[in-house]
Amino acid sequence: MNNAGGTALAIVLVVLIVFVIIVLVRAVRIIPQARAGVVERLGKYQRTLNPGLTILIPFVDRLLPLLDLREQVVSFPPQPVITEDNLVVSIDTVVYFQVTDPRAATYEIANYIQAVEQLTTTTLRNVVGGLNLEEALTSRDQINGQLRGVLDEATGRWGIRVSRVELKAIDPPHSIQDSMEKQMRAERDRRAAILTAEGTKQSAILTAEGQRQAAILKAEGEAKAAILRADGESQAIQKVFDAIHKGNPDQKLLAYQYLQTLPKLAEGSANKLWIIPSEVGEALKGIGSAIGGTNAEAAVSGLFEQTPAERSQP
């Protein structure tokens, strides 16, 4: 009897210890950081647990699966969307959202991720359905803004805040892609031809401008050189004139110098005819009177009767 009583007591103690351990395990809970837990007491919402240590009433309180309060990123599979010009495009979306109210996210919606996906798909079809293909490809910011506004307004009562919506990819049909590539290639060729023509035009303009500037500079240089030559000759003549007047020459010297200059007019093989000025007679008279005698006048006359070749002989 004593052995049987001791065995029963030991079994009771073991069961009691196991029960205490189970109670402690179910009563003491630790909530990690950036997590939240919803507690139900006898099947009814009781409170929301924040990060830290908390005590529950075993078999009365039930802790639902913890909710992640961090911002989450969900990428949804490609969705076919029909544009305004009746083209089917495949659009991938990425949604950034965060649970702000664990109670609403638990009781207001059954599966908030699936709800966000379906709402994104329907809103995307409404938005893109009013745009043609070119506008859909170039208006991503506009589409993202409209999607975010609709999703944030609809998910607010679910305890979810949608921070960003991004279109990851917009894939038109392959035939349209080929046409777009050909169009882009033609556009690049056209731009290259325009740039080449513009370059040729600018080169021709610059060449003509350079030639014009060179001609202007050359003409200006020649004009300045002619002016300098004329100034030099003028100064030389003025110096000769001043020297002659300073020497106070008489009539005889001037007549003699005048006669020495006249034969130079006949130099050269091309001078077949030349005219003697009327002043030559007066010069001859002056020289004749200065030298005296008819012999001098005859010598001077004979000088003009000789040809340039005869005068060049000794």
Side-chain angles (χ1 to χ4, degrees):
M1 294 293 295
N2 293 332
N3 292 332
T7 302
L9 181 60
I11 293 174
V12 172
L13 290 176
V14 171
V15 171
L16 183 60
I17 293 172
V18 172
F19 178 76
V20 171
I21 293 174
I22 293 174
V23 169
L24 291 176
V25 171
R26 294 180 64 90
V28 178
R29 294 296 179 88
I30 297 177
I31 307 300
Q33 185 67 32
R35 301 291 193 278
V38 175
V39 178
E40 292 181 347
R41 178 167 294 176
L42 299 178
K44 183 180 179 181
Y45 171 78
Q46 201 271 332
R47 69 182 188 275
T48 299
L49 300 181
N50 295 320
L53 179 65
T54 185
I55 303 297
L56 301 177
I57 301 176
F59 307 107
V60 177
D61 293 341
R62 184 170 72 94
L63 179 63
L64 299 181
L66 300 180
L67 297 176
D68 195 342
L69 300 182
R70 296 172 297 179
E71 186 172 10
Q72 303 180 44
V73 182
V74 179
S75 178
F76 299 129
Q79 300 294 330
V81 180
I82 300 177
T83 61
E84 186 180 19
D85 46 359
N86 296 325
L87 293 176
V88 179
V89 295
S90 180
I91 301 179
D92 296 351
T93 55
V94 179
V95 179
Y96 298 79
F97 68 93
Q98 184 178 13
V99 176
T100 57
D101 187 355
R103 179 182 179 279
T106 302
Y107 296 105
E108 298 296 335
I109 188 71
N111 189 338
Y112 56 83
I113 294 180
Q114 184 179 3
V116 170
E117 178 183 0
Q118 296 300 321
L119 184 59
T120 301
T121 301
T122 55
T123 306
L124 185 63
R125 289 175 178 173
N126 292 333
V127 174
V128 178
L131 304 174
N132 56 39
L133 179 60
E134 185 176 357
E135 292 175 346
L137 294 175
T138 58
S139 304
R140 292 197 176 191
D141 293 339
Q142 178 183 352
I143 297 174
N144 294 340
Q146 294 182 9
L147 287 175
R148 180 186 177 279
V150 173
L151 291 175
D152 195 22
E153 181 180 358
T155 58
R157 61 187 181 89
W158 300 339
I160 298 174
R161 181 179 63 85
V162 177
S163 58
R164 294 180 61 186
V165 179
E166 297 290 342
L167 300 183
K168 186 167 61 175
I170 301 178
D171 299 326
H174 293 290
S175 58
I176 301 300
Q177 292 183 12
D178 295 338
S179 300
M180 293 174 63
E181 290 178 359
K182 292 179 181 178
Q183 181 180 1
M184 293 175 61
R185 192 179 304 112
E187 181 67 20
R188 285 194 293 267
D189 294 340
R190 184 183 68 85
R191 292 180 181 177
I194 291 175
L195 292 177
T196 302
E198 288 290 338
T200 304
K201 175 183 175 182
Q202 291 296 330
S203 176
I205 292 174
L206 292 176
T207 301
E209 182 68 21
Q211 293 177 354
R212 186 179 71 87
Q213 292 292 338
I216 292 174
L217 293 176
K218 181 179 180 181
E220 291 178 353
E222 292 177 353
K224 291 182 179 179
I227 292 173
L228 292 176
R229 285 196 299 269
D231 290 342
E233 293 175 358
S234 175
Q235 293 177 6
I237 293 173
Q238 185 66 35
K239 288 183 179 180
V240 172
F241 183 78
D242 294 341
I244 291 174
H245 282 276
K246 287 181 180 180
N248 194 16
D250 55 3
Q251 186 66 25
K252 299 177 182 179
L253 178 60
L254 292 176
Y256 181 73
Q257 291 293 331
Y258 185 70
L259 290 177
Q260 282 186 335
T261 304
L262 289 178
K264 294 182 180 180
L265 298 175
E267 293 180 356
S269 59
N271 294 329
K272 296 181 180 180
L273 177 65
W274 52 287
I275 301 173
I276 300 175
S278 61
E279 290 83 358
V280 175
E282 296 296 331
L284 291 175
K285 291 180 182 180
I287 294 175
S289 60
I291 298 175
T294 59
N295 294 331
E297 294 181 0
V300 172
S301 300
L303 178 63
F304 288 100
E305 293 178 355
Q306 294 177 354
T307 63
E310 293 175 349
R311 287 196 301 269
S312 62
Q313 293 179 357

